[in-house]
Amino acid sequence: MKIVSTIEEVRTQVAAWKKAGETIGFVPTMGYLHEGHLSLIEAAGENDRVVVSIFVNPMQFGPTEDLASYPRDLERDAALCEKYHVDLIFHPTAEEMYGESFYSYVDMDVLTKELCGLSRPVHFRGVCTVVAKLFNIVTPDRAYFGEKDAQQLAIIKRMVQDLNMPLTIKGCPIIREEDGLAKSSRNTYLSPEERKAALVLSRSVFLGKAMAEQGEKDADRIKAAMTAEIESEPLARIDYVKIVDLKTMQQVKTINGGILAAIAVYIGKTRLIDNFMISD
Ligand code: PAF
């Protein structure tokens, strides 16, 4: 496994693999890898070569968000990547990615204006821009994203479709702790008391999912039950509980086709997300 920090080194290595007729699977991450990332790396094993990027992208953090405190541990991440047969880690600096000045952005309408886009107004522009750049640098055949960030996954799929990017996007299921909490690098921020309180997210998601699976079609009724579950936890503060169309991210009243039921909840100062989806 190689660890490189320059765009040139990635291009040289990928060109050699492509010359040999090999396919490239790509897993973009911000590091501090957990089993969720490892499941993406495993899925990427369907390609001849696996590239993982580790880059805490400043552009997707708002001014009051956790860019400085976001957990980082390259040594630990590299050991995990080695164990999971990653061929190349791309670990650039912000300067390597954005240079001394940077003026070009990939932005998106509609899908970015709901859910996390409301409380994180610059987030998806930063995600789309960095992911588009990473796709241009790594030129993968397939790229892998977690369904925990369901809105991000829908946005990336749409960007690839709208901008005719020549790769396939693959979504992979949410990986949970044994007690239900969705795996996230941000779980490391939680105190023991908050960690217990955070279980309210998965409880709310499981409750909503069970209602939908039992045939409840009224989105407001499902949302009300999910909201009440979250409000039963004193340490939890709701950012949103919403049920949206899976393709447009616009709220629905009735569950007919594909939907995403998504929640964002502050546990103390830590903002966590979770969801369930029902496909078409
Ligand atoms: O999901 C993430 O970790 C990030 O948003 C991503 C896709 C690596 C872009 O920085």
Side-chain angles (χ1 to χ4, degrees):
M1 184 185 76
K2 272 191 188 167
I3 306 180
V4 301
S5 56
T6 67
I7 294 166
E8 198 49 45
E9 286 167 297
V10 179
R11 288 200 197 284
T12 305
Q13 179 58 84
V14 168
W17 287 333
K18 289 204 168 178
K19 201 168 171 208
E22 293 181 314
T23 55
I24 316 289
F26 177 43
V27 183
T29 82
M30 297 208 297
Y32 217 74
L33 304 180
H34 52 67
E35 284 85 345
H37 299 111
L38 299 176
S39 75
L40 305 181
I41 293 173
E42 273 183 327
E46 65 180 317
N47 302 275
D48 297 314
R49 299 288 180 176
V50 177
V51 179
V52 171
S53 64
I54 297 177
F55 178 57
V56 183
N57 173 34
M59 197 188 280
Q60 69 189 70
F61 288 79
T64 59
E65 292 181 359
D66 55 343
L67 172 62
S69 56
Y70 197 85
R72 293 158 169 90
D73 189 342
L74 181 63
E75 215 175 295
R76 178 179 160 279
D77 288 346
L80 283 168
C81 285
E82 181 93 63
K83 192 167 160 207
Y84 279 75
H85 313 298
V86 169
D87 294 286
L88 181 70
I89 295 180
F90 177 42
H91 178 59
T93 59
E95 206 193 358
E96 177 71 6
M97 287 300 279
Y98 294 117
E100 274 176 20
S101 58
F102 189 84
Y103 303 129
S104 310
Y105 299 91
V106 180
D107 210 345
M108 188 179 294
D109 213 343
V110 183
L111 271 62
T112 57
K113 306 298 178 213
E114 256 295 344
L115 305 176
C116 291
L118 291 172
S119 54
R120 307 188 72 191
V122 297
H123 176 65
F124 288 118
R125 182 174 89 153
V127 170
C128 286
T129 303
V130 81
V131 170
K133 280 171 68 66
L134 289 166
F135 287 172
N136 282 337
I137 294 164
V138 177
T139 62
D141 296 279
R142 299 179 191 87
Y144 299 79
F145 293 84
E147 287 177 354
K148 183 171 84 64
D149 297 306
Q151 185 178 17
Q152 169 173 280
L153 173 59
I155 287 169
I156 300 293
K157 279 186 178 162
R158 187 70 203 211
M159 175 180 81
V160 165
Q161 179 190 321
D162 284 354
L163 301 183
N164 309 100
M165 294 177 166
L167 78 158
T168 304
I169 302 301
K170 298 243 177 162
C172 300
I174 297 177
I175 304 292
R176 296 182 180 279
E177 303 285 354
E178 266 184 27
D179 59 8
L181 181 67
K183 301 249 181 192
S184 164
S185 305
R186 290 191 167 98
N187 291 349
T188 54
Y189 299 152
L190 301 168
S191 69
E193 194 195 357
E194 289 171 339
R195 172 65 184 75
K196 269 192 217 138
L199 284 178
V200 78
L201 278 97
S202 50
R203 278 206 308 274
S204 162
V205 162
F206 297 157
L207 173 66
K209 188 161 189 256
M211 287 174 76
E213 283 172 353
Q214 281 155 25
E216 179 60 78
K217 297 280 177 214
D218 185 333
D220 284 342
R221 253 189 238 148
I222 298 178
K223 274 191 298 183
M226 293 174 71
T227 304
E229 180 64 41
I230 300 167
E231 284 174 348
S232 72
E233 169 51 62
L235 292 184
R237 184 168 56 82
I238 293 176
D239 179 358
Y240 64 75
V241 176
K242 286 188 180 168
I243 301 188
V244 298
D245 180 287
L246 206 42
K247 292 209 180 75
T248 64
M249 297 289 130
Q250 304 306 299
Q251 292 200 70
V252 297
K253 283 238 152 266
T254 310
I255 297 179
N256 283 321
I259 59 106
L260 163 68
I263 63 177
V265 178
Y266 287 93
I267 303 291
K269 287 194 174 122
T270 305
R271 185 177 175 280
L272 299 175
I273 56 174
D274 202 342
N275 70 72
F276 69 90
M277 284 186 249
I278 296 181
S279 26
D280 280 318

